[in-house]
Amino acid sequence: MMLLWLGELTMASWVLSYGAEHLSKKYGGKFVGRTLLSIATTLPEIAIVIYAAAGGSYGVAIGAGLGSNLLMMTLGLAIMLLIATTRLSKAPLMGIDVSAFKLDKIFLIITAIVSAVLFIDGYNYIDGIIFAVMFVAYLTMALFEMKAEKSKTKSTDFLHSIGDHEIVEVKEEHNPSNRFDKQMLKASLAFLAGTVGILVGAEPFIHSLEGFSTEIGISAVILAIIISPIAGEMPEKISMMVLARKGATGAAIAVANVLGSKILNNTLLLAVAVFGAMYHGGFYTSISLNNLLAYQVVLVTAVTIIALIPMFKKEIGLKVGVMLAGMYIISLFVQFLLPHETSETH
């Protein structure tokens, strides 16, 4: 039954990915990768976390978010680098320039450390507010940076036009982007259908995951960390692969998408988990840190920081991808060495 709902979530995620990727074309650029595309591709995880936390499965809710960060900061980036730097890409690159994402990398490290430290005494409503504020702060930062880049681009274009003695007047009524676009309607409907499919499949997936964990004697938290990202990260994996094949610009948006969505996991996703727990257990409900989650938090935080170290160089290439893929394999092996608890601790 779990595989059935996993398949349903995966299919819904693929449809969502199609819609999100095509909708992003209208707005384009780094801001889309950080915000619109990141939020869209994080929807499956948000749905899974909401249903798990609201149903009292707090460990599963936190585990799903941890698993997402673990998967995409290692295997996800590795696959993207493999595609972008080989003949799998339409325009293979020697390396991907990541110098433009300094603020994102710093913000990701800060949110990873803050979320780990706050979990020492458990997550409560105060922490939920802190995560929500950090999420708004990141969106604000992205918005101001986007405006600054647009202003700089406009100034450069204006100077070039004066230097060439060319002033081009564009009439609004002749702009094809203002016309009704059937492709945008199709993308919007796909996005809506994918969202509905995810909302329908998330709750039964959580129930089947917990039932399966009891049957095989492995903690539902461990299964959430390993299995949930297969469906939850499907939009992001698909959009990354599509973007990575498009050359330097597409690869840059893919990097922005990964960093942005992982920051969302450390802020918005945790806020959702806390508020879902409050809905289930009352305003003062706390998501407690048990031994299993403690090990997972340390592991995922360490992996996130290590994976970010090579990204503080100007470029990352295939060698970094191989290293990240190796880190994912090692982390999976470590999962089964950690102590398991088949029962959920609320």
Side-chain angles (χ1 to χ4, degrees):
M1 199 65 184
M2 184 190 70
L3 293 177
L4 175 65
W5 288 112
L6 179 62
E8 191 273 346
L9 274 176
T10 302
M11 178 58 70
S13 296
W14 182 86
V15 175
L16 178 70
S17 171
Y18 171 87
E21 204 266 328
H22 283 77
L23 282 173
S24 68
K25 289 179 181 178
K26 184 175 181 180
Y27 306 98
K30 188 165 69 172
F31 180 73
V32 168
R34 285 170 161 175
T35 55
L36 177 64
L37 200 56
S38 292
I39 293 172
T41 55
T42 308
L43 279 178
E45 299 155 81
I46 292 174
I48 289 171
V49 168
I50 286 175
Y51 282 114
S57 301
Y58 306 150
V60 172
I62 300 299
L66 292 174
S68 168
N69 278 11
L70 185 65
L71 178 69
M72 294 310 294
M73 288 303 298
T74 54
L75 187 61
L77 278 173
I79 292 173
M80 189 270 288
L81 287 167
L82 173 66
I83 293 173
T85 58
T86 65
R87 292 184 179 180
L88 293 172
S89 171
K90 295 177 182 178
L93 305 167
M94 291 297 293
I96 298 174
D97 188 351
V98 292
S99 59
F101 304 105
K102 185 177 180 180
L103 286 176
D104 301 81
K105 290 175 280 190
I106 293 173
F107 213 96
L108 180 52
I109 289 176
I110 291 173
T111 56
I113 294 174
V114 168
S115 62
V117 171
L118 289 179
F119 204 18
I120 292 174
D121 61 348
Y123 291 149
N124 56 31
Y125 72 96
I126 296 176
D127 300 314
I129 294 172
I130 291 173
F131 293 137
V133 169
M134 287 197 298
F135 171 65
V136 172
Y138 177 66
L139 287 185
T140 303
M141 178 204 77
L143 181 61
F144 275 108
E145 192 169 286
M146 179 196 70
K147 288 183 176 180
E149 287 176 356
K150 277 190 173 183
S151 177
K152 184 178 180 181
T153 301
K154 285 180 180 179
S155 299
T156 303
D157 290 344
F158 179 70
L159 289 173
H160 284 167
S161 67
I162 292 176
D164 296 335
H165 302 288
E166 294 177 359
I167 299 177
V168 180
E169 184 177 339
V170 179
K171 293 185 178 180
E172 192 72 19
E173 59 269 23
H174 293 303
N175 188 347
S177 65
N178 291 324
R179 296 176 182 174
F180 180 75
D181 191 343
K182 291 183 179 179
Q183 186 67 25
M184 291 303 296
L185 175 61
K186 185 179 178 181
S188 299
L189 291 175
F191 187 88
L192 179 62
T195 302
V196 172
I198 287 164
L199 294 176
V200 168
E203 185 174 18
F205 172 71
I206 292 298
H207 292 320
S208 60
L209 186 73
E210 292 174 335
F212 183 66
S213 74
T214 302
E215 290 177 11
I216 64 175
I218 294 178
S219 170
V221 175
I222 295 294
L223 291 181
I225 290 171
I226 297 173
I227 295 177
S228 292
I230 295 175
E233 290 293 350
M234 189 56 63
E236 191 170 345
K237 288 193 286 285
I238 292 173
S239 64
M240 277 179 61
M241 289 186 281
V242 171
L243 289 166
R245 293 190 71 245
K246 295 181 179 179
T249 301
I253 296 175
V255 172
N257 181 204
V258 173
L259 295 176
S261 65
K262 296 317 107 188
I263 291 171
L264 260 61
N265 282 1
N266 291 337
T267 56
L268 178 63
L269 205 66
L270 290 177
V272 165
V274 172
F275 297 145
M278 291 166 61
Y279 171 82
H280 175 264
F283 187 82
Y284 294 102
T285 299
S286 175
I287 301 178
S288 302
L289 178 68
N290 56 36
N291 288 336
L292 176 58
L293 282 176
Y295 287 122
Q296 298 298 333
V297 168
V298 171
L299 173 65
V300 174
T301 303
V303 167
T304 298
I305 294 173
I306 293 171
L308 280 170
I309 291 174
M311 295 183 70
F312 278 94
K313 297 180 180 178
K314 179 177 172 56
E315 287 188 345
I316 55 175
L318 189 57
K319 287 184 179 179
V320 173
V322 172
M323 180 201 79
L324 294 175
M327 285 177 60
Y328 180 68
I329 294 171
I330 292 171
S331 67
L332 284 183
F333 179 71
V334 171
Q335 297 290 342
F336 292 97
L337 295 179
L338 298 177
H340 291 186
E341 299 172 11
T342 56
S343 60
E344 174 82 28
T345 303
H346 293 186

